[in-house]
Amino acid sequence: MEFWTAFYAISFYVATFILVFGLGYKIYQYAVTPAPLKIPTTPAPVTTGGVVVRLLSEVILFKSLFRSNKWIWLFAIMFHLALWIVLVRHLRYFMDPVWTLVVLAQPFGKYGSFIMLFGLLGLLARRMFVKRICYISSPSDYLMLFLLLTIGISGVLISFVTRTDIIQFKAFMLSVLSFDFFSWQTMPTDTMLLIHLASVILLMIIFPFSKLLHVPGVFFSPTRNQVDNPREKRHVAPWAVKKFETSSAPTTSE
Amino acid sequence: MKILMILGKLSLGLLLIMTVSGVSSGEVSMPEIPKAKNNFSAEQSCVEPIDLMRREHGLLLKHYRHDTMRRGIRTSEYSLIACVNCHVTADESGNYPTVHHGSDHFCRSCHTYAAVNIDCFQCHTSKPQESFSSDMEPVQSD
C-alpha cells in the first residue's frame, strides 16, 4: 500500500463524514430554529406554491442578487452554473458504467471550467477592489475563493497541460467508494492531482463550518420562504404560545 | 455534549453501513485492456514508457497528425496505423471488435471507462491491416 493512496483514501472518508454529518446537523439546526416574525419581503407570494417558485428562482437564478447588482450577479451565475456542469462531468469518476447524461456533459464541463474560473476571479476582484466589500471581508471569505481557485486551476491544468492517468485514478476512486479498506487501487501521484484532491478535501471539511452554508441556508431564509398571509393565518412561534398565551392557544402556523 | 452524542451515534451508524457494504463489495470494476501483439523493443513494451503513453498518447497522436497533415512530415514514429496493427486483436472466432460501442476494442476499453470521446476513427480505420482482404489493401504508411 503506497503512502499517498492510503493517505488520500482515509482523508476522503474523514472529509465525507464531516461534510455529510456536519451539513446534516446544520440543516437540522436551521430547521428547528424558530422564525418568530412574519417577515416575507413584499411583494411576496400568497400561496405555498408561489413560495416554491420564489425560492427556486432565488436558488437557480439568484433573483434578489440580479435586482440588487447586475455585475456581481453575472460573475456569481457564471461561477455557480459552470460549477454544476463541472460537477456533473466529474461524476464519471464515481460510476461504472457512466450515465449517458454524464458522457454528454464531458465537453461542456471541460470548457465550462474556464467560465467557472472567470466567475471566481470576478468575485475575487469584487472582494479586493470594491472598497465597501473589502472592508467587511474576513480571511475566511478569501480562503473560500482561494480554495475554489486552487481546485479550478489545478483541474484545468490536469485536463489541458500536465495530464494524469485518469483510468488508474478512477479505479482508485471506485475502490474508495466500495470501502476496500487497505486494499485500495493505487492512485496516480502526479503533483497537480495531489493538489487538486487536497484542496477538494479541505473544502469538504470546511464546508459545514463556513459561509458555504449558504447552500442549505438559502432555503431557510424567512424573508424568502414565508407565505404572505398574516391576515388569513396568524403566525405564532411555538415558544411564544407557551409563555404568553396560557388560555385558548391559537393553532400554530409554522 | 448533545452534539457529541448525536455525532457519536451517527458515526456508529456510518461504520455499520461501511462494514456491510465492505463485505458485499467485490472487485472494483477496471477496464479489460486487450494485450498487444509485440513489445516495441527488448527494454520497452510500447513506443514510449507506459506511464507516458497512459497520460499523453492523445497528445502524441495529435502532434503527429499536425506534423503530417500541416507540415508534410510523415514518419512511422507515432503512426496510428502501427498502434492499431499492434494493439487491436481478433477474438477466438477471428472477428475484430468495433470501436464505435461496447468496450472490447483496445481503445474503447479505457475510453468507455473514462467517458472520453475518440475522434480518430471517424476517418481512420480501427482495424489492423491483417483484417482486410487483399483486394482492399489500405495504403502503406511508411
Side-chain angles (χ1 to χ4, degrees):
Chain A
M1 176 67 39
E2 278 209 20
F3 169 73
W4 286 120
T5 301
F7 178 80
Y8 274 88
I10 292 167
S11 303
F12 264 117
Y13 292 127
V14 173
T16 308
F17 180 82
I18 293 174
L19 177 71
V20 171
F21 291 112
L23 209 57
Y25 178 71
K26 289 310 280 191
I27 291 174
Y28 165 77
Q29 200 181 29
Y30 289 157
V32 299
T33 301
L37 301 175
K38 193 73 169 176
I39 46 167
T41 310
T42 53
V46 294
T47 58
T48 312
V51 165
V52 171
V53 173
R54 182 187 205 174
L55 265 182
L56 284 181
S57 67
E58 205 60 70
V59 170
I60 299 169
L61 304 171
F62 310 164
K63 195 165 148 194
S64 301
L65 181 59
F66 182 77
R67 285 177 174 175
S68 70
N69 190 314
K70 295 287 187 283
W71 70 265
I72 297 177
W73 176 85
L74 191 67
F75 286 127
I77 203 92
M78 281 170 91
F79 164 65
H80 286 87
L81 291 189
L83 179 64
W84 272 117
I85 302 171
V86 169
L87 285 177
V88 169
R89 173 172 141 86
H90 277 77
L91 285 179
R92 66 177 172 156
Y93 296 115
F94 302 94
M95 55 172 72
D96 191 62
V98 183
W99 297 342
T100 311
L101 179 74
V102 177
V103 175
L104 294 177
Q106 294 306 312
F108 298 100
K110 204 164 175 169
Y111 297 100
S113 57
F114 291 102
I115 300 174
M116 185 184 115
L117 281 181
F118 188 76
L120 274 175
L121 288 174
L123 294 175
L124 181 67
R126 156 180 178 263
R127 217 160 257 304
M128 285 160 53
F129 303 123
V130 180
K131 262 194 180 155
R132 189 173 53 85
I133 307 287
C134 184
Y135 184 75
I136 59 166
S137 294
S138 62
S140 149
D141 296 328
Y142 286 102
L143 178 68
M144 298 308 129
L145 286 170
F146 173 74
L147 272 178
L148 285 164
L149 275 169
T150 313
I151 294 170
I153 292 171
S154 58
V156 165
L157 286 177
I158 294 170
S159 222
F160 293 96
V161 184
T162 124
R163 287 113 194 281
T164 186
D165 185 349
I166 58 170
I167 303 298
Q168 191 57 49
F169 174 70
K170 178 169 177 174
F172 162 75
M173 212 57 238
L174 290 180
S175 74
V176 168
L177 282 186
S178 59
F179 300 112
D180 296 348
F181 285 104
F182 295 98
S183 52
W184 298 295
Q185 295 289 326
T186 314
M187 72 177 279
T189 50
D190 303 71
T191 316
M192 266 315 144
L193 182 67
L194 294 186
I195 294 174
H196 190 67
L197 295 179
S199 38
V200 169
I201 287 169
L202 275 178
L203 196 77
M204 287 165 77
I205 292 173
I206 289 171
F207 204 104
F209 306 98
S210 69
K211 66 183 298 184
L212 298 176
L213 283 170
H214 68 273
V215 176
V218 63
F219 292 96
F220 293 97
S221 78
T223 54
R224 298 289 180 272
N225 73 5
Q226 288 184 351
V227 185
D228 186 16
N229 57 356
R231 284 180 181 76
E232 293 77 10
K233 211 171 174 184
R234 190 174 169 202
H235 180 85
V236 190
W239 54 267
V241 177
K242 274 183 204 146
K243 215 165 184 181
F244 303 114
E245 313 220 355
T246 45
S247 63
S248 69
T251 48
T252 53
S253 58
E254 45 225 82
Chain B
M1 276 330 280
K2 206 173 155 196
I3 305 171
L4 283 180
M5 284 283 287
I6 296 171
L7 278 184
K9 280 174 194 162
L10 288 176
S11 58
L12 266 177
L14 187 75
L15 218 73
L16 204 75
I17 297 168
M18 280 158 90
T19 356
V20 171
S21 49
V23 169
S24 63
S25 80
E27 285 280 285
V28 167
S29 74
M30 295 269 280
E32 283 169 31
I33 310 167
K35 265 201 115 38
K37 287 167 195 150
N38 315 300
N39 283 347
F40 179 69
S41 67
E43 302 83 44
Q44 203 167 283
S45 46
C46 203
V47 292
E48 294 286 346
I50 293 295
D51 268 354
L52 191 98
M53 289 309 291
R54 286 190 178 152
R55 287 165 174 76
E56 311 264 310
H57 64 274
L59 272 187
L60 297 179
L61 281 170
K62 202 161 77 181
H63 289 173
Y64 175 78
R65 178 194 66 183
H66 182 85
D67 280 352
T68 305
M69 194 164 66
R70 310 280 175 216
R71 302 173 64 208
I73 305 166
R74 188 185 286 273
T75 64
S76 57
E77 199 185 4
Y78 301 128
S79 138
L80 182 63
I81 293 177
C83 297
V84 167
N85 276 344
C86 186
H87 278 291
V88 180
T89 46
D91 61 12
E92 298 99 35
S93 47
N95 295 322
Y96 290 87
T98 171
V99 79
H100 298 297
H101 47 82
S103 52
D104 294 333
H105 189 276
F106 172 78
C107 303
R108 264 275 148 239
S109 57
C110 288
H111 276 252
T112 298
Y113 188 70
V116 183
N117 212 6
I118 319 175
D119 293 336
C120 310
F121 305 110
Q122 289 170 6
C123 303
H124 295 278
T125 177
S126 62
K127 294 175 184 175
Q129 283 166 322
E130 70 201 17
S131 71
F132 295 97
S133 53
S134 50
D135 57 327
M136 44 184 288
E137 195 76 30
V139 181
Q140 291 290 326
S141 67
D142 45 357

